[in-house]
Amino acid sequence: MLSSFDEFYQIVSVQRFGSLVGFSMAVTYYGPGEHPAGFVGFHVTAEFNGDLQRLFGTSSAEVQEDADVLFLARRLEAQLQDLKWQRDSLQYRYERFVTESYPNTRPERGVGVHGITAAFHRQGRGSWRACFKVARYQDAEAPRQPAKVFTFSKPYSEVWEEVVGFWAEEHGVRSADRQRVLDSPPDPEQFKRLRRQMNEHEGYDVPVEALSPVFAEQRSLLAKQRAELKAKEMKLHVGVPSPVSTDIQAEMAAWFESVTRADQR
């Protein structure tokens, strides 16, 4: 949890990750005769990661007004508790945003955070293209914006860097979490599983050719590694005599035998 209200207000001012789970906060005051159980005072409730509630009774106050010191103290304590739970709720929601896929994410799309998904995308009758989709921040007062699509027109690692950069900027993600997600790209094999999922279970017909750009960087790396290995093997053979042919070996054996016989005479 956050260590100070300064951090809390800092996150409130910049955080744009939106509503993740149902939650609510409330401070309700019950005057004499208003609560069915006879309670008088402030009831604070919160709903995130379980239901929370706390009571701040004011029945001992001489008057149920701020003019009474006890009443004022209980009201302020209730409001402070509400602020603390708001802080904790915000932190809880943020942690879920940067460490879990959205609960309703369809199979093989999630990459471990809210707002980024693996996908195959096409416009109209165009070709299927593998991509990452990044959900935009939605302003309640503006028209809803579609997700931004990142296809593999560049190497996989460069595309992932652009994806994470846009996602972090769009949703106010902290630099440490941005770097952690950047350092943990999803395995390209996920796109193979996603294609199989879509074709076998969702009624699509994504061609295998759509996978080619996803693995272009991997193929290039393998080719480079093979070239380096071949170069090393060639260096190892520099200066080593080539194998002698069978005919030359026979002539040498015959010559050696003739020389040996001559020496024995």
Side-chain angles (χ1 to χ4, degrees), residues 14-71:
V14 301
Q15 200 51 253
R16 308 178 68 189
F17 51 85
S19 177
L20 309 182
V21 292
F23 80 101
S24 64
M25 307 288 170
V27 178
T28 304
Y29 171 69
Y30 292 96
E34 295 180 355
H35 193 279
F39 170 74
V40 177
F42 295 91
H43 183 203
V44 185
T45 60
E47 295 178 9
F48 70 93
N49 196 24
D51 294 339
L52 302 172
Q53 63 176 326
R54 188 173 175 186
L55 301 174
F56 296 85
T58 62
S59 59
S60 300
E62 293 183 4
V63 293
Q64 299 294 308
E65 298 176 0
D66 283 354
D68 187 286
V69 175
L70 188 147
F71 180 91

Side-chain angles (χ1 to χ4, degrees), residues 160-175:
W160 180 246
E161 184 174 359
E162 290 183 357
V163 166
V164 175
F166 179 82
W167 169 77
E169 185 69 23
E170 187 77 358
H171 298 284
V173 174
R174 299 169 184 164
S175 58

Side-chain angles (χ1 to χ4, degrees), residues 9 19 27 67 76 80 82 133 137 163 182-183 186-187 189 233 240 260:
Y9 287 119
S19 177
V27 178
L76 294 176
L80 179 60
D82 184 55
K133 291 185 176 182
Y137 169 72
V163 166
L182 182 61
D183 293 340
D187 189 334
E189 291 290 325
E233 291 176 345
V240 177
T260 302

Side-chain angles (χ1 to χ4, degrees), residues 232-265:
K232 290 180 180 179
E233 291 176 345
M234 292 178 65
K235 288 181 180 180
L236 290 175
H237 287 85
V238 173
V240 177
S242 300
V244 181
S245 68
T246 303
D247 292 340
I248 295 178
Q249 287 182 8
E251 291 179 6
M252 291 178 65
W255 173 82
F256 181 77
E257 185 177 356
S258 65
V259 171
T260 302
R261 288 176 179 175
D263 290 342
Q264 292 176 347
R265 290 175 183 172

Side-chain angles (χ1 to χ4, degrees), residues 116 145 166:
I116 305 177
Q145 300 184 75
F166 179 82

